[in-house]
Amino acid sequence: MKHIRNFCIIAHIDHGKSTLADRLLEFTHTISDRNMQAQVLDDMDLEREKGITIKSHAIQVSYKYKGDDYILNLIDTPGHVDFSYEVSRALAACEGALLLVDASQGIQAQTISNLYLAIDNNLEIIPVINKIDMDGAMIPEVTDQIIDLIGCKQEDILLASGKSGIGIEEILAAIIERIPCPKGSQDAPLQALVFDSVFNSFRGIIVYFRIRNGILKKGDKVKFVSTDKVYDAQEVGILKMGLEERKEVRCGDVGYIITGIKVAKEVKVGDTLTVASNPGQLIDGFEDVKPMVFAGIYPVETDAFAELRDCMEKLQLNDASLTFELETSQALGFGFRCGFLGLLHMEIIQERLEREFNQTVITTVPNVSFIAYTSKGDKIIVNNPSEMPDPTRLDRIEEPFIRAQIITQSEYIGNIMTLCLGKRGNLINQSYITPTRVELVFEMPLTEIVFDFYDKLKSQTRGYASFDYHPLDYRAADIVKMEILLNNEKVDALSSLIHRGRAADFGRKLCEKLKELLTRQQFQIAIQAAIGAKVIARENISALRKDVTAKCYGGDVSRKRKLLEKQKEGKKRMKLIGNVEVPQEAFLAVLKLD
């Protein structure tokens, strides 16, 4: 065990984690030149297209150092705030972390929050300044920032470039010398922490784990502690570029097991794997995931619901931070109420459903979960506008607040203040990290950042702001339910929970947008936004008229009048029985109102 090192790479988004992982794999000859490609561990099409890591990827590397052979288990992690749950799982499987900082960007919000996650897990941290060969590299300034943040010595900081391969040897030496070897006993009962799982249509569910104590052999009867189910270990092995089968996997190793499980619910990420004959205790893994944003996902064809449910379960295996439950809507039929960690996470899930499972889905307006207290003192959790209790029975509503941390250049402070105060934020703290970089801390309602906050922040600061957030608590607020009516019929998929102060403005914009998107009918369509019985905004789509008087040339005016009256009757009847189809664009338009 003293020759094993488990470590992960953490950083802000776009600071070069995956590129550095490529160089480490190349330098240690883990992967042949023929199979080498950029961001080799990002195996999803979406990851390559967007240039981001969505899943953590584990791979085992062999390296000879001072005459000894070492085994290094490397986990490449995502950098975006929406995937910080993946990072917390990777950290639980490691003893050390490489903290990458881009030499031209300096320390950003996600660098700090990932660092705190690693410190909470008692990991050994190796600071690395990456991209030192870039034109805009500010090595002395970034070195000072890291020393201020971590309190390390200057000689502890490594300089590297993932692109050109500078400093890779020094990083490998630091991993072996500074990161402690795994602790644990091979003779103790088996304890393995499950940190990921994937679905394979031929082999069933493949579970990835990190062994804390004991040995796992092929053919063992294994048990998942929290579900209490027992299986045969049909195949065990380690994670190289693919899966590499072994007779046994020992204490300290990161490996995989195939047991032929076909049902997604039987594997929980964060569970402990042990041997049925001599069971070990449950390991405290990572915290339960807290969904931040809720949205409904519905199949376009109502009879595709069962298929969509299977796909969601398989996707949840691959992405444990996705939560969903059944929901029905009058407009859209059966579907799911899904919890996401953020808007990017929601977009990725929707794209993965379409690409990996060929499911075309309709996504409703995202919102957050509120807590409603009735006049009798009952507490109701409201994830969906339809769950909101009647206003006459309502005592108060509380909404979730977050602590937002924004790091930016000092010239953009005014723009950020205007944006955050307009979103009902309170400035808690403002501190200068360096003479030109400021950290602003706000407390603000989560509802305000769900829609378009991040996009606006980027445009107000020309892309120079980094943003990170943590949930705080629930606080009382004046939240109302705003409904959209088409010809006095409620469209439940478009209703939303919103602060009273913003309802009139939001309702008016939404009505104007729907007027553009809905197709004209043979009868007039009234689009209204209402809070309870009070209509706060209205738009009309005028009817398509057929020129029924065209065949009357000359003659008495009463002949024209008779035809027009007949048409009027027909329109009235049509309005009674006609219904208005709401296109998919209308649900998406709500997200991009401004």
Side-chain angles (χ1 to χ4, degrees), residues 435-560:
T436 55
R437 296 171 79 77
V438 193
E439 180 188 15
L440 300 166
V441 178
F442 287 90
E443 283 187 1
M444 54 203 298
L446 183 60
T447 18
E448 298 289 341
I449 69 157
V450 161
F451 282 123
D452 51 1
F453 177 77
Y454 193 58
D455 296 345
K456 281 189 174 168
L457 179 69
K458 284 292 185 197
S459 57
Q460 297 280 1
T461 57
R462 298 191 187 144
Y464 278 111
S466 61
F467 170 71
D468 184 35
Y469 58 87
H470 296 283
L472 287 173
D473 51 1
Y474 281 78
R475 300 177 191 179
D478 189 7
I479 299 290
V480 292
K481 178 180 176 182
M482 189 183 80
E483 293 177 313
I484 297 293
L485 309 170
L486 296 179
N487 283 349
N488 297 325
E489 291 283 329
K490 292 177 183 172
V491 183
D492 60 345
L494 284 174
S495 56
S496 53
L497 296 168
I498 191 165
H499 192 266
R500 196 183 292 274
R502 292 193 52 213
D505 184 42
F506 184 73
R508 195 180 65 254
K509 283 182 179 163
L510 187 50
C511 287
E512 285 168 5
K513 194 75 183 172
L514 286 172
K515 184 178 179 179
E516 291 171 27
L517 291 169
L518 295 178
T519 47
R520 283 174 70 186
Q521 304 288 344
Q522 301 254 325
F523 50 91
Q524 184 187 17
I525 303 172
I527 305 167
Q528 294 167 306
I531 295 172
K534 184 184 175 191
V535 174
I536 54 171
R538 172 170 176 148
E539 290 287 335
N540 288 331
I541 299 178
S542 51
L544 283 169
R545 301 286 305 254
K546 182 180 174 190
D547 190 358
V548 288
T549 57
K551 58 189 177 189
C552 288
Y553 50 94
D556 192 356
V557 72
S558 60
R559 291 176 61 196
K560 286 187 179 175

Side-chain angles (χ1 to χ4, degrees), residues 27-91:
F27 189 82
T28 55
H29 306 296
T30 305
I31 181 165
S32 63
D33 294 342
R34 191 182 65 182
N35 293 337
M36 194 62 206
Q37 53 177 343
Q39 282 87 39
V40 68
L41 291 179
D42 291 349
D43 49 13
M44 246 186 270
D45 293 344
L46 263 176
E47 290 180 316
R48 298 189 160 281
E49 274 171 35
K50 292 185 182 285
I52 56 175
T53 304
I54 294 169
K55 292 267 309 154
S56 298
H57 295 275
I59 188 165
Q60 193 176 96
V61 173
S62 307
Y63 184 59
K64 204 177 186 71
Y65 179 69
K66 293 189 176 170
D68 288 330
D69 287 329
Y70 286 88
I71 288 174
L72 314 178
N73 288 311
L74 144 73
I75 302 180
D76 177 27
T77 65
H80 195 281
V81 60
D82 279 12
F83 304 110
S84 52
Y85 181 66
E86 287 280 334
V87 180
S88 79
R89 287 162 35 185
L91 294 172

Side-chain angles (χ1 to χ4, degrees), residues 19 29 45 92 107 115 122 143 148 161-162 199 251 255 260 275 349 419 433 493 512 515 522 578 582 590:
T19 311
H29 306 296
D45 293 344
I107 284 175
L115 171 71
N122 298 322
T143 305
D148 288 346
S161 163
F199 184 80
C251 178
V275 179
I349 292 291
L419 175 66
I433 300 174
E512 285 168 5
K515 184 178 179 179
Q522 301 254 325
V582 183
V590 184

